[in-house]
């Protein structure tokens, strides 16, 4: 789902979120493991103030394992319980229940001291569009879970899914807006295919990807598109990325009628292959690049 965020829409989403958050003990925030900085909502700390917190680094199957570990460590340092998952794969969700208990330990102990036993933890899933919220809820809750009835105060239409004796999940995820203020964020969101309204055209976007890959994963382009692509990237003169794109076009026979290279088609192909994980597990953002920024 792609949502065009405009101020009115954001105000509405914020209001809904504030109301729903009042009803829960735990906020489960999903981010895209390839771009955990750009896929986080800038106001989440304020919105979820006072609640137990968890971060799920989703689509970890597409991200660089080492980079994901770095992010998980960073979030843990910030007292956010982090778990790397592939929401489509139930096996990867096994650790989530344990992390929920850990994240809500204080609350559970507080309840116990007050003599409140076995009150389930109430949680809601939040995140920007396309990070995998619905996929996660479906996989995590599974078919076996009965929905409990509507409860007063819950945004109309929202229901609680009783996962087990200890956990209830709001069945509708909270949709949050991404950061807007940084150009890089838009580029990274566009690269993973999260936004429709491209802030850059595909050719420019593909060139940005080629540059990131050249810096971080120099083996990827030559491995997939041949050594000529590598030679092109070393050509210099500021046109390296375009030269690589031309090699991709040649290698994949992206040709126009007269035999000319079809660069836009090559750009679209490269982006599709990246998004589909065909270039391997690639992270566009590393925690160490954001330590300073996030302090
Ligand atoms: P949202 O509710 O946050 O908007 O996201 P949603 O669950 O709709 O997921 C968006 C897309 O991301 C879906 O693909 C979904 O299959 C995919 N996805 C979710 N989690 C993961 C994951 O951990 N790994 C990978 N590789 N993909 C994931 P789609 O192409 O939009 O739909 P479909 O082709 O799966 O139907």
């Amino acid at each position: 789902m792609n949502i065009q965020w405009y101020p009115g829409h954001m105000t509405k989403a914020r209001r809904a979120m504030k109301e729903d958050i009042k009803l829960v003990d735990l906020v489960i925030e999903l981010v895209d493991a390839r771009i955990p900085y750009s896929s986080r909502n800038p106001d989440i700390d304020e919105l979820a103030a006072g609640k137990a917190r968890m971060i799920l680094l989703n689509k970890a199957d597409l991200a660089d394992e080492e980079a994901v570990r770095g992010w998980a460590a960073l979030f843990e340092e910030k007292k956010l319980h982090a778990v790397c998952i592939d929401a489509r794969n139930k096996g990867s969700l096994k650790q989530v229940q344990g992390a929920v208990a850990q994240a809500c330990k204080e609350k559970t102990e507080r309840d116990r001291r007050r003599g409140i036993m076995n009150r389930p933890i109430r949680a809601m899933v939040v995140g920007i569009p396309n990070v995998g919220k619905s996929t996660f809820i479906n996989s995590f809750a599974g078919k076996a879970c009965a929905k409990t009835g509507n409860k007063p105060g819950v945004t109309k239409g929202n229901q609680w899914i009783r996962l087990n004796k200890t956990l209830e999940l709001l069945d509708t995820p909270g949709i949050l807006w991404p950061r807007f203020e940084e150009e890089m964020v838009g580029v990274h969101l566009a690269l993973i295919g999260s936004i429709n309204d491209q802030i850059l055209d595909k050719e420019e976007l593909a060139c940005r990807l080629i540059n990131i890959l050249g810096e971080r994963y120099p083996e990827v382009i030559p491995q997939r598109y041949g050594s000529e692509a590598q030679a092109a990237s070393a050509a210099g003169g500021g046109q390296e990325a375009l030269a690589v794109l031309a090699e991709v076009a040649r290698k994949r026979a992206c040709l126009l009628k007269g035999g000319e290279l079809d660069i836009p088609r090559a750009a679209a192909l490269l982006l599709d292959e990246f998004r589909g994980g065909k270039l391997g597990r690639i992270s566009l953002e590393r925690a160490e690049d954001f330590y300073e920024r996030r302090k």
Side-chain angles (χ1 to χ4, degrees):
M1 175 180 19
N2 288 290
I3 294 183
Q4 314 304 318
W5 294 100
Y6 55 91
H9 201 139
M10 258 170 60
T11 310
K12 214 172 141 198
R14 180 192 288 272
R15 207 180 299 130
M17 183 72 54
K18 276 198 154 165
E19 284 309 304
D20 286 347
I21 274 182
K22 282 184 197 158
L23 306 168
V24 302
D25 310 298
L26 170 69
V27 175
I28 302 176
E29 179 189 353
L30 258 78
V31 300
D32 189 300
R34 295 166 294 176
I35 54 163
Y37 177 78
S38 296
S39 59
R40 278 196 88 190
N41 167 271
D43 302 326
I44 186 68
D45 288 335
E46 184 206 322
L47 284 165
K51 300 294 172 181
R53 303 276 300 277
M54 248 177 89
I55 290 224
L56 300 181
L57 289 145
N58 191 35
K59 308 199 187 183
D61 55 303
L62 297 172
D64 175 335
E65 278 170 288
E66 195 195 322
V68 175
R69 272 198 298 275
W71 279 106
L74 172 66
F75 290 132
E76 290 286 343
E77 246 172 58
K78 292 179 177 299
K79 309 273 179 273
L80 294 164
H81 296 266
V83 184
C84 308
I85 60 163
D86 165 358
R88 298 164 317 163
N89 171 0
K90 282 204 169 82
S92 80
L93 303 181
K94 284 193 186 126
Q95 325 149 60
V96 175
Q97 183 74 36
V100 167
Q102 198 60 32
C104 295
K105 214 166 146 193
E106 270 181 33
K107 180 214 163 291
T108 315
E109 276 167 13
R110 206 168 46 236
D111 275 359
R112 195 170 298 145
R113 280 198 301 274
R114 290 177 182 158
I116 305 168
M117 306 294 260
N118 305 325
R119 189 167 79 75
I121 291 159
R122 284 195 170 165
M124 78 181 286
V125 172
V126 304
I128 66 165
N130 219 35
V131 286
K133 298 177 296 298
S134 313
T135 309
F136 169 72
I137 291 177
N138 287 339
S139 300
F140 192 52
K143 282 196 192 106
C145 302
K147 285 183 181 175
T148 63
N150 269 329
K151 299 217 168 114
V154 179
T155 308
K156 199 165 174 274
N158 281 353
Q159 289 194 313
W160 296 95
I161 307 170
R162 180 177 279 261
L163 284 147
N164 51 46
K165 272 191 213 149
T166 59
L167 184 60
E168 285 184 4
L169 200 63
L170 200 57
D171 80 336
T172 317
I175 302 169
L176 295 169
W177 54 97
R179 301 169 193 273
F180 293 115
E181 64 281 7
E182 292 166 74
E183 193 249 7
M184 173 208 74
V185 168
V187 171
H188 287 182
L189 287 168
L191 280 174
I192 65 159
S194 247
I195 47 178
N196 248 345
D197 55 333
Q198 309 253 334
I199 50 154
L200 294 171
D201 66 29
K202 279 202 170 169
E203 219 170 295
E204 209 173 331
L205 208 51
C207 285
R208 296 286 285 258
L209 178 62
I210 289 167
N211 289 335
I212 296 171
L213 293 175
E215 219 173 276
R216 292 271 161 89
Y217 304 92
E219 69 292 351
V220 163
I221 292 276
Q223 263 168 18
R224 183 117 185 129
Y225 305 106
S227 52
E228 290 86 354
Q230 188 167 33
S233 70
Q239 295 295 309
E240 298 88 340
L242 264 180
V244 171
L245 215 44
E247 279 312 318
V248 173
R250 238 186 294 275
K251 183 87 182 172
R252 291 302 173 85
C254 299
L255 301 172
L256 295 166
K257 267 195 184 140
E260 233 178 286
L261 296 175
D262 187 346
I263 301 295
R265 189 142 70 91
L269 180 143
L270 177 67
L271 291 171
D272 278 354
E273 296 206 344
F274 163 68
R275 289 169 184 161
K278 298 213 174 73
L279 303 185
R281 301 173 63 151
I282 290 166
S283 288
L284 300 179
E285 297 175 356
R286 282 167 188 269
E288 56 267 30
D289 299 337
F290 294 89
Y291 273 112
E292 283 308 310
R293 202 191 300 240
R294 298 182 138 266
K295 264 178 194 161

PDB file of all heavy atoms in Angstrom, residues 37 40 61 64 79 85 101 122 126 142 157 167 177 179 185 227 239 251 272 275-276 292:
ATOM      1  N   TYR A  37      16.928   3.110   9.465  1.00  0.00           N
ATOM      2  CA  TYR A  37      16.825   4.549   9.762  1.00  0.00           C
ATOM      3  C   TYR A  37      15.676   5.163   8.954  1.00  0.00           C
ATOM      4  O   TYR A  37      14.768   5.774   9.507  1.00  0.00           O
ATOM      5  CB  TYR A  37      18.142   5.257   9.452  1.00  0.00           C
ATOM      6  CG  TYR A  37      18.064   6.753   9.672  1.00  0.00           C
ATOM      7  CD1 TYR A  37      18.132   7.275  10.960  1.00  0.00           C
ATOM      8  CD2 TYR A  37      17.891   7.630   8.609  1.00  0.00           C
ATOM      9  CE1 TYR A  37      18.037   8.648  11.184  1.00  0.00           C
ATOM     10  CE2 TYR A  37      17.793   8.999   8.818  1.00  0.00           C
ATOM     11  CZ  TYR A  37      17.865   9.505  10.106  1.00  0.00           C
ATOM     12  OH  TYR A  37      17.758  10.852  10.325  1.00  0.00           O
ATOM     13  N   ARG A  40      11.953   4.255   9.781  1.00  0.00           N
ATOM     14  CA  ARG A  40      11.364   4.528  11.109  1.00  0.00           C
ATOM     15  C   ARG A  40      10.599   5.840  11.080  1.00  0.00           C
ATOM     16  O   ARG A  40      10.998   6.782  10.406  1.00  0.00           O
ATOM     17  CB  ARG A  40      12.463   4.646  12.161  1.00  0.00           C
ATOM     18  CG  ARG A  40      12.927   3.315  12.672  1.00  0.00           C
ATOM     19  CD  ARG A  40      13.706   3.479  13.955  1.00  0.00           C
ATOM     20  NE  ARG A  40      12.830   3.448  15.111  1.00  0.00           N
ATOM     21  CZ  ARG A  40      13.248   3.769  16.324  1.00  0.00           C
ATOM     22  NH1 ARG A  40      14.481   4.165  16.540  1.00  0.00           N
ATOM     23  NH2 ARG A  40      12.408   3.700  17.340  1.00  0.00           N
ATOM     24  N   ASP A  61      15.496 -11.272   5.684  1.00  0.00           N
ATOM     25  CA  ASP A  61      15.951 -12.213   4.647  1.00  0.00           C
ATOM     26  C   ASP A  61      16.578 -11.486   3.464  1.00  0.00           C
ATOM     27  O   ASP A  61      17.327 -12.085   2.695  1.00  0.00           O
ATOM     28  CB  ASP A  61      14.765 -13.073   4.158  1.00  0.00           C
ATOM     29  CG  ASP A  61      13.586 -12.223   3.675  1.00  0.00           C
ATOM     30  OD1 ASP A  61      13.083 -11.398   4.467  1.00  0.00           O
ATOM     31  OD2 ASP A  61      13.179 -12.369   2.504  1.00  0.00           O
ATOM     32  N   ASP A  64      21.630  -7.551   4.780  1.00  0.00           N
ATOM     33  CA  ASP A  64      22.966  -8.060   5.103  1.00  0.00           C
ATOM     34  C   ASP A  64      22.983  -8.433   6.596  1.00  0.00           C
ATOM     35  O   ASP A  64      22.719  -7.589   7.456  1.00  0.00           O
ATOM     36  CB  ASP A  64      23.907  -6.885   4.791  1.00  0.00           C
ATOM     37  CG  ASP A  64      25.350  -7.132   5.154  1.00  0.00           C
ATOM     38  OD1 ASP A  64      25.620  -7.957   6.035  1.00  0.00           O
ATOM     39  OD2 ASP A  64      26.184  -6.449   4.546  1.00  0.00           O
ATOM     40  N   LYS A  79      17.570   0.470  24.652  1.00  0.00           N
ATOM     41  CA  LYS A  79      16.533  -0.185  25.464  1.00  0.00           C
ATOM     42  C   LYS A  79      15.276  -0.544  24.663  1.00  0.00           C
ATOM     43  O   LYS A  79      14.172  -0.582  25.181  1.00  0.00           O
ATOM     44  CB  LYS A  79      16.128   0.686  26.677  1.00  0.00           C
ATOM     45  CG  LYS A  79      17.292   1.164  27.508  1.00  0.00           C
ATOM     46  CD  LYS A  79      17.665   0.130  28.564  1.00  0.00           C
ATOM     47  CE  LYS A  79      18.839   0.543  29.423  1.00  0.00           C
ATOM     48  NZ  LYS A  79      20.156   0.196  28.872  1.00  0.00           N
ATOM     49  N   ILE A  85      13.425 -10.510  11.851  1.00  0.00           N
ATOM     50  CA  ILE A  85      12.444 -11.490  11.374  1.00  0.00           C
ATOM     51  C   ILE A  85      12.250 -11.428   9.856  1.00  0.00           C
ATOM     52  O   ILE A  85      12.635 -10.453   9.202  1.00  0.00           O
ATOM     53  CB  ILE A  85      11.053 -11.282  12.040  1.00  0.00           C
ATOM     54  CG1 ILE A  85      10.497  -9.874  11.742  1.00  0.00           C
ATOM     55  CG2 ILE A  85      11.112 -11.521  13.530  1.00  0.00           C
ATOM     56  CD1 ILE A  85       8.997  -9.748  12.002  1.00  0.00           C
ATOM     57  N   ALA A 101       7.715 -10.858  26.269  1.00  0.00           N
ATOM     58  CA  ALA A 101       7.736 -11.048  27.727  1.00  0.00           C
ATOM     59  C   ALA A 101       8.847 -10.208  28.351  1.00  0.00           C
ATOM     60  O   ALA A 101       8.655  -9.557  29.387  1.00  0.00           O
ATOM     61  CB  ALA A 101       7.934 -12.527  28.048  1.00  0.00           C
ATOM     62  N   ARG A 122      -1.315  -6.251  26.228  1.00  0.00           N
ATOM     63  CA  ARG A 122      -1.970  -5.777  25.003  1.00  0.00           C
ATOM     64  C   ARG A 122      -0.947  -5.047  24.151  1.00  0.00           C
ATOM     65  O   ARG A 122      -0.241  -4.159  24.637  1.00  0.00           O
ATOM     66  CB  ARG A 122      -3.089  -4.834  25.357  1.00  0.00           C
ATOM     67  CG  ARG A 122      -4.263  -5.598  25.858  1.00  0.00           C
ATOM     68  CD  ARG A 122      -5.432  -4.692  25.844  1.00  0.00           C
ATOM     69  NE  ARG A 122      -6.635  -5.449  26.101  1.00  0.00           N
ATOM     70  CZ  ARG A 122      -7.760  -4.865  26.423  1.00  0.00           C
ATOM     71  NH1 ARG A 122      -7.824  -3.558  26.516  1.00  0.00           N
ATOM     72  NH2 ARG A 122      -8.824  -5.592  26.629  1.00  0.00           N
ATOM     73  N   VAL A 126       2.945  -1.200  14.761  1.00  0.00           N
ATOM     74  CA  VAL A 126       2.957   0.068  14.023  1.00  0.00           C
ATOM     75  C   VAL A 126       4.126   0.086  13.038  1.00  0.00           C
ATOM     76  O   VAL A 126       5.091  -0.651  13.190  1.00  0.00           O
ATOM     77  CB  VAL A 126       3.081   1.295  14.972  1.00  0.00           C
ATOM     78  CG1 VAL A 126       1.979   1.302  16.012  1.00  0.00           C
ATOM     79  CG2 VAL A 126       4.441   1.367  15.646  1.00  0.00           C
ATOM     80  N   GLY A 142      -1.720 -16.147  13.198  1.00  0.00           N
ATOM     81  CA  GLY A 142      -2.148 -17.424  12.619  1.00  0.00           C
ATOM     82  C   GLY A 142      -3.653 -17.522  12.523  1.00  0.00           C
ATOM     83  O   GLY A 142      -4.376 -16.598  12.892  1.00  0.00           O
ATOM     84  N   GLY A 157     -14.103  -0.553  14.494  1.00  0.00           N
ATOM     85  CA  GLY A 157     -13.651  -1.575  13.567  1.00  0.00           C
ATOM     86  C   GLY A 157     -12.449  -2.348  14.076  1.00  0.00           C
ATOM     87  O   GLY A 157     -12.180  -3.440  13.618  1.00  0.00           O
ATOM     88  N   LEU A 167      -1.018 -12.721  25.714  1.00  0.00           N
ATOM     89  CA  LEU A 167      -0.849 -11.646  24.733  1.00  0.00           C
ATOM     90  C   LEU A 167      -2.081 -11.420  23.861  1.00  0.00           C
ATOM     91  O   LEU A 167      -2.628 -12.352  23.277  1.00  0.00           O
ATOM     92  CB  LEU A 167       0.359 -11.977  23.840  1.00  0.00           C
ATOM     93  CG  LEU A 167       0.766 -10.945  22.802  1.00  0.00           C
ATOM     94  CD1 LEU A 167       1.133  -9.613  23.457  1.00  0.00           C
ATOM     95  CD2 LEU A 167       1.948 -11.439  21.982  1.00  0.00           C
ATOM     96  N   TRP A 177       3.778   7.678   9.211  1.00  0.00           N
ATOM     97  CA  TRP A 177       4.404   8.354   8.084  1.00  0.00           C
ATOM     98  C   TRP A 177       5.921   8.249   8.232  1.00  0.00           C
ATOM     99  O   TRP A 177       6.449   8.193   9.340  1.00  0.00           O
ATOM    100  CB  TRP A 177       3.977   9.822   8.060  1.00  0.00           C
ATOM    101  CG  TRP A 177       4.235  10.511   9.364  1.00  0.00           C
ATOM    102  CD1 TRP A 177       5.306  11.280   9.693  1.00  0.00           C
ATOM    103  CD2 TRP A 177       3.408  10.463  10.538  1.00  0.00           C
ATOM    104  NE1 TRP A 177       5.199  11.708  10.997  1.00  0.00           N
ATOM    105  CE2 TRP A 177       4.044  11.207  11.545  1.00  0.00           C
ATOM    106  CE3 TRP A 177       2.187   9.834  10.854  1.00  0.00           C
ATOM    107  CZ2 TRP A 177       3.520  11.363  12.829  1.00  0.00           C
ATOM    108  CZ3 TRP A 177       1.668   9.980  12.143  1.00  0.00           C
ATOM    109  CH2 TRP A 177       2.327  10.742  13.099  1.00  0.00           C
ATOM    110  N   ARG A 179       9.994   9.638   7.600  1.00  0.00           N
ATOM    111  CA  ARG A 179      10.667  10.937   7.705  1.00  0.00           C
ATOM    112  C   ARG A 179      10.580  11.610   6.342  1.00  0.00           C
ATOM    113  O   ARG A 179      10.622  10.951   5.328  1.00  0.00           O
ATOM    114  CB  ARG A 179      12.153  10.744   7.993  1.00  0.00           C
ATOM    115  CG  ARG A 179      12.445   9.998   9.229  1.00  0.00           C
ATOM    116  CD  ARG A 179      13.920   9.644   9.264  1.00  0.00           C
ATOM    117  NE  ARG A 179      14.145   8.661  10.309  1.00  0.00           N
ATOM    118  CZ  ARG A 179      14.372   8.963  11.575  1.00  0.00           C
ATOM    119  NH1 ARG A 179      14.461  10.216  11.946  1.00  0.00           N
ATOM    120  NH2 ARG A 179      14.534   8.025  12.475  1.00  0.00           N
ATOM    121  N   VAL A 185      16.517   9.740   2.690  1.00  0.00           N
ATOM    122  CA  VAL A 185      15.425   8.879   3.148  1.00  0.00           C
ATOM    123  C   VAL A 185      14.494   8.549   1.976  1.00  0.00           C
ATOM    124  O   VAL A 185      14.128   7.394   1.755  1.00  0.00           O
ATOM    125  CB  VAL A 185      14.646   9.560   4.301  1.00  0.00           C
ATOM    126  CG1 VAL A 185      13.353   8.826   4.602  1.00  0.00           C
ATOM    127  CG2 VAL A 185      15.508   9.647   5.548  1.00  0.00           C
ATOM    128  N   SER A 227      32.260  -8.859 -15.769  1.00  0.00           N
ATOM    129  CA  SER A 227      33.432  -8.047 -15.427  1.00  0.00           C
ATOM    130  C   SER A 227      33.468  -6.734 -16.213  1.00  0.00           C
ATOM    131  O   SER A 227      34.093  -5.770 -15.792  1.00  0.00           O
ATOM    132  CB  SER A 227      34.715  -8.834 -15.642  1.00  0.00           C
ATOM    133  OG  SER A 227      34.697  -9.360 -16.945  1.00  0.00           O
ATOM    134  N   GLN A 239      30.883   9.514 -14.780  1.00  0.00           N
ATOM    135  CA  GLN A 239      29.794   8.840 -15.504  1.00  0.00           C
ATOM    136  C   GLN A 239      29.791   7.345 -15.217  1.00  0.00           C
ATOM    137  O   GLN A 239      29.182   6.567 -15.949  1.00  0.00           O
ATOM    138  CB  GLN A 239      29.972   9.057 -17.022  1.00  0.00           C
ATOM    139  CG  GLN A 239      29.841  10.491 -17.480  1.00  0.00           C
ATOM    140  CD  GLN A 239      28.429  11.014 -17.266  1.00  0.00           C
ATOM    141  OE1 GLN A 239      27.466  10.388 -17.672  1.00  0.00           O
ATOM    142  NE2 GLN A 239      28.300  12.134 -16.585  1.00  0.00           N
ATOM    143  N   LYS A 251      24.477  -6.623 -21.312  1.00  0.00           N
ATOM    144  CA  LYS A 251      24.495  -7.998 -20.802  1.00  0.00           C
ATOM    145  C   LYS A 251      23.104  -8.626 -20.871  1.00  0.00           C
ATOM    146  O   LYS A 251      22.952  -9.810 -21.169  1.00  0.00           O
ATOM    147  CB  LYS A 251      24.982  -7.954 -19.352  1.00  0.00           C
ATOM    148  CG  LYS A 251      25.130  -9.275 -18.692  1.00  0.00           C
ATOM    149  CD  LYS A 251      26.499  -9.856 -18.954  1.00  0.00           C
ATOM    150  CE  LYS A 251      26.642 -11.229 -18.325  1.00  0.00           C
ATOM    151  NZ  LYS A 251      27.867 -11.877 -18.728  1.00  0.00           N
ATOM    152  N   ASP A 272      14.522  -3.918 -10.020  1.00  0.00           N
ATOM    153  CA  ASP A 272      13.685  -5.099  -9.726  1.00  0.00           C
ATOM    154  C   ASP A 272      14.524  -6.219  -9.131  1.00  0.00           C
ATOM    155  O   ASP A 272      14.105  -6.882  -8.184  1.00  0.00           O
ATOM    156  CB  ASP A 272      13.038  -5.631 -11.016  1.00  0.00           C
ATOM    157  CG  ASP A 272      11.792  -4.848 -11.362  1.00  0.00           C
ATOM    158  OD1 ASP A 272      11.395  -3.996 -10.535  1.00  0.00           O
ATOM    159  OD2 ASP A 272      11.237  -5.063 -12.461  1.00  0.00           O
ATOM    160  N   ARG A 275      15.383  -5.318  -5.563  1.00  0.00           N
ATOM    161  CA  ARG A 275      14.228  -5.416  -4.659  1.00  0.00           C
ATOM    162  C   ARG A 275      13.831  -6.857  -4.404  1.00  0.00           C
ATOM    163  O   ARG A 275      13.374  -7.207  -3.329  1.00  0.00           O
ATOM    164  CB  ARG A 275      13.033  -4.654  -5.254  1.00  0.00           C
ATOM    165  CG  ARG A 275      13.247  -3.166  -5.195  1.00  0.00           C
ATOM    166  CD  ARG A 275      12.218  -2.409  -6.003  1.00  0.00           C
ATOM    167  NE  ARG A 275      12.507  -0.986  -5.997  1.00  0.00           N
ATOM    168  CZ  ARG A 275      12.016  -0.126  -6.883  1.00  0.00           C
ATOM    169  NH1 ARG A 275      11.204  -0.538  -7.839  1.00  0.00           N
ATOM    170  NH2 ARG A 275      12.339   1.152  -6.799  1.00  0.00           N
ATOM    171  N   GLY A 276      14.026  -7.697  -5.390  1.00  0.00           N
ATOM    172  CA  GLY A 276      13.659  -9.104  -5.246  1.00  0.00           C
ATOM    173  C   GLY A 276      14.737  -9.932  -4.572  1.00  0.00           C
ATOM    174  O   GLY A 276      14.619 -11.152  -4.461  1.00  0.00           O
ATOM    175  N   GLU A 292      25.815   8.881  15.495  1.00  0.00           N
ATOM    176  CA  GLU A 292      25.887  10.289  15.865  1.00  0.00           C
ATOM    177  C   GLU A 292      24.519  10.954  15.756  1.00  0.00           C
ATOM    178  O   GLU A 292      24.033  11.586  16.650  1.00  0.00           O
ATOM    179  CB  GLU A 292      26.879  11.028  14.955  1.00  0.00           C
ATOM    180  CG  GLU A 292      28.318  10.758  15.328  1.00  0.00           C
ATOM    181  CD  GLU A 292      28.588  11.003  16.813  1.00  0.00           C
ATOM    182  OE1 GLU A 292      28.223  12.079  17.337  1.00  0.00           O
ATOM    183  OE2 GLU A 292      29.125  10.089  17.463  1.00  0.00           O
TER     184      GLU A 292
END
